Amino acid sequence: MPLELFLDLHSQPCRSVFMFAKKNNIAFEFKKIDLAAGQHYGEEFGKISILRKVPVMRDEEFILAESIAILKYLAEKFRTPDHWYPADLQKRARVNEYLSWQHTAIRTHGSKVFWFRAMVPIITGAEVPKEKMDSAMEDLNTSLKLFEEKFLQDRPFIVGDQISLADLVAHVEIMQPVGTGVDVFKDRPKLRAWSDRVKTEMGEALFDEAHSIIMNVHNLPQTFQDNGMLEFLKPKIQKMFN
């Protein structure tokens, strides 16, 4: 049985797993889980993962959720080049340090900006109040500043001269608000240069393949309408602002 990856490339963690597997020539079967259609709530996917989130990996009888766990598993099982998840104790610790930090920083804040700028207007038909949008952008900018000053500094990549899992995960998260039209690279030449290096290392074709959906987020309204998810999500979103 081939390795199976259950993914939706709207999701930044899914993109990191997809790109890592592709870049390292890890053969897998792409199992599309359409989040906009609510397929992760369906009975069939519930049998695979009770968490009802993507990505999920199935390697024969072994099922693993959570993108960071999946990335580390793939790196170790398929013995990908050392720079991805270094054997050196301190270099690996630096990768783990970033991967531990990003959950409550760039991931949280980039996702909130994405939801506020793209998803909330689609679902509710109204813009997010300005003060809430400004606060979300302030949090994102704070995370980006910390990323540059703490994790990137003056190095080409987070761990040094070569790309690692940390760079890949960071980049897909930063692209989430970019997909809504936020220029996170404005007045950040260091961040832009790092981004260009990551794209070069991953390959422009693979980068474009992984990000084509998120860069066309304007197509989401029709997708939600066609799949009947708008009415399901609307009360959940409205509750956030009441």
Side-chain angles (χ1 to χ4, degrees):
M1 181 184 296
L3 184 80
E4 296 175 313
L5 294 176
F6 297 81
L7 309 168
D8 184 334
L9 297 184
H10 280 110
S11 157
Q12 54 274 44
C14 287
R15 294 198 299 273
S16 66
V17 171
F18 174 83
M19 293 175 74
F20 182 73
K22 284 268 194 174
K23 178 66 177 177
N24 288 283
N25 299 311
I26 298 171
F28 67 93
E29 184 175 348
F30 188 117
K31 296 287 192 177
K32 172 68 182 293
I33 301 298
D34 192 337
L35 298 177
Q39 288 182 353
H40 51 310
Y41 296 120
E43 182 179 348
E44 288 305 309
F45 186 68
K47 294 175 183 177
I48 297 165
S49 176
I50 195 173
L51 298 178
R52 297 189 177 277
K53 298 193 301 181
V54 288
V56 172
M57 180 204 75
R58 181 159 60 189
D59 187 6
E60 296 185 352
E61 299 304 314
F62 181 66
I63 296 175
L64 187 65
E66 295 297 329
S67 59
I68 303 304
I70 294 169
L71 287 167
K72 292 178 180 180
Y73 178 89
L74 294 177
E76 294 182 319
K77 172 169 182 173
F78 293 97
R79 299 182 180 180
T80 57
D82 183 73
H83 62 84
W84 286 110
Y85 196 48
D88 178 88
L89 178 63
Q90 293 187 357
K91 288 183 177 180
R92 178 170 287 202
R94 287 299 183 202
V95 172
N96 287 330
E97 179 184 40
Y98 176 77
L99 295 177
S100 299
W101 173 81
Q102 59 94 28
H103 289 285
T104 56
I106 285 181
R107 171 157 176 71
T108 295
H109 301 144
S111 295
K112 180 179 282 189
V113 169
F114 174 80
W115 269 83
F116 279 11
R117 286 178 59 90
M119 304 302 292
V120 172
I122 289 171
I123 294 167
T124 67
E127 298 294 323
V128 169
K130 184 179 184 302
E131 64 274 13
K132 290 187 178 293
M133 189 71 252
D134 289 346
S135 176
M137 285 300 304
E138 183 178 351
D139 288 341
L140 176 60
N141 287 329
T142 297
S143 286
L144 292 173
K145 186 173 186 290
L146 285 171
F147 175 75
E148 287 187 294
E149 293 179 354
K150 157 65 179 170
F151 295 99
L152 193 56
Q153 299 182 23
D154 293 319
R155 296 183 293 265
F157 297 100
I158 292 173
V159 179
D161 294 332
Q162 292 183 289
I163 194 171
S164 71
L165 292 179
D167 298 283
L168 177 57
V169 170
H171 202 271
V172 297
E173 295 293 347
I174 287 172
M175 289 303 297
Q176 202 74 357
V178 171
T180 69
V182 176
D183 185 1
V184 300
F185 305 110
K186 183 180 179 182
D187 300 324
R188 293 190 178 99
K190 183 187 297 187
L191 188 70
R192 184 182 296 276
W194 165 80
S195 172
D196 290 342
R197 286 191 291 271
V198 173
K199 288 181 185 179
T200 298
E201 288 294 320
M202 297 308 297
E204 291 285 344
L206 176 56
F207 178 86
D208 290 343
E209 180 184 5
H211 289 85
S212 61
I213 293 177
I214 201 64
M215 297 307 290
N216 289 282
V217 72
H218 59 273
N219 292 328
L220 274 175
Q222 191 59 51
T223 303
F224 274 95
Q225 190 67 52
D226 291 346
N227 291 300
M229 286 294 289
L230 283 179
E231 293 307 312
F232 174 76
L233 290 171
K234 188 176 292 185
K236 297 177 181 293
I237 296 297
Q238 290 173 334
K239 188 176 180 180
M240 293 171 57
F241 299 102
N242 292 334

